[in-house]
Amino acid sequence: MDAELQAPPSPVCLIEGHTTEQECVVWVRVHDRHLQDITIAGDNGEKLFSVEGPGGYSSMTLRRPLKDASGRPVFDLRRKIGWLVEDTSGNKIAELCHNKFFTSQHTAINAKILSSGAVFEMRPRDAMGLTNYVNVGNATIAEISVHSNNIKKRFVRDRDVSVLRVRVAKGVDLSLVVLMAMVRAEMAHVWQK
């Protein structure tokens, strides 16, 4: 059963210019085990974003640069104790951290946009975190579901390593939801769940 999505009560924006005009479905396709080759496309197959990193373990912080469909940088996601998001100038614009780590809430993430102080969160619907809700206040703005997970297979040549289906409400910053989907994909790869 899909969650009922709604726009946030007040606009929450990570990066300007990526607000959804209607409710939509986005597919996050992770092509490699190191999360350095990711394609984010609309339900119609149109490419929206991509991650084309330098390759596995070339960065101590697992830097993943997100680019829009035309190849322009949007932000960099880095792994520290939690996660940091940097703009194209290298300025920190958001911080993410686990709410509870060693519980069934292991995919519960709290995030803060530093410029506005806006807080958003990802919370699991089920014990395995196969479906997660992205919330701003009491509004559920997105639903992230693990659609397929081939991480445990040693050699994956004919299919993506993992695929996430993301439903996004109207009036939501798509870059913010893609950020949460990238973090959920990382958790799936690291924990193989």
Side-chain angles (χ1 to χ4, degrees), residues 7-19:
S10 59
V12 178
C13 192
L14 181 65
I15 303 290
E16 296 288 334
H18 301 286
T19 304

Side-chain angles (χ1 to χ4, degrees), residues 1-80:
M1 173 131 196
D2 290 338
E4 185 165 334
L5 303 179
Q6 53 188 310
S10 59
V12 178
C13 192
L14 181 65
I15 303 290
E16 296 288 334
H18 301 286
T19 304
T20 58
E21 295 178 8
Q22 60 191 19
E23 186 173 316
C24 62
V25 173
V26 175
W27 293 90
V28 178
R29 297 185 180 282
V30 182
H31 308 297
D32 71 327
R33 298 174 72 83
H34 304 290
L35 299 136
Q36 295 292 323
D37 186 10
I38 303 171
T39 302
I40 297 98
D43 210 19
N44 60 0
E46 177 188 359
K47 182 177 174 182
L48 303 171
F49 299 99
S50 65
V51 173
E52 299 166 1
Y57 307 111
S58 61
S59 167
M60 292 297 288
T61 60
L62 297 174
R63 182 180 299 270
R64 277 149 298 173
L66 182 75
K67 297 177 182 177
D68 66 13
S70 63
R72 287 188 304 263
V74 177
F75 64 72
D76 283 359
L77 175 62
R78 297 176 55 209
R79 182 78 160 105
K80 289 282 196 174

Side-chain angles (χ1 to χ4, degrees), residues 10 17 38 50 55 59 64 75-76 84 86-87 100 107 113 128 131 133 137 139 142 144-145 150 157 163 183 186:
S10 59
I38 303 171
S50 65
S59 167
R64 277 149 298 173
F75 64 72
D76 283 359
L84 301 174
E86 296 176 347
D87 64 13
K100 297 177 180 178
T107 61
I113 299 173
M128 294 299 291
T131 299
Y133 299 134
I144 301 170
S145 301
N150 299 307
R157 296 182 202 275
V163 177
V183 168
E186 179 181 323

Side-chain angles (χ1 to χ4, degrees), residues 142-161:
E143 179 183 70
I144 301 170
S145 301
V146 177
H147 187 267
S148 69
N149 187 341
N150 299 307
I151 297 163
K152 292 186 179 183
K153 301 207 177 0
R154 192 135 181 95
F155 300 103
V156 180
R157 296 182 202 275
D158 60 340
R159 58 185 169 256
D160 295 323
V161 176

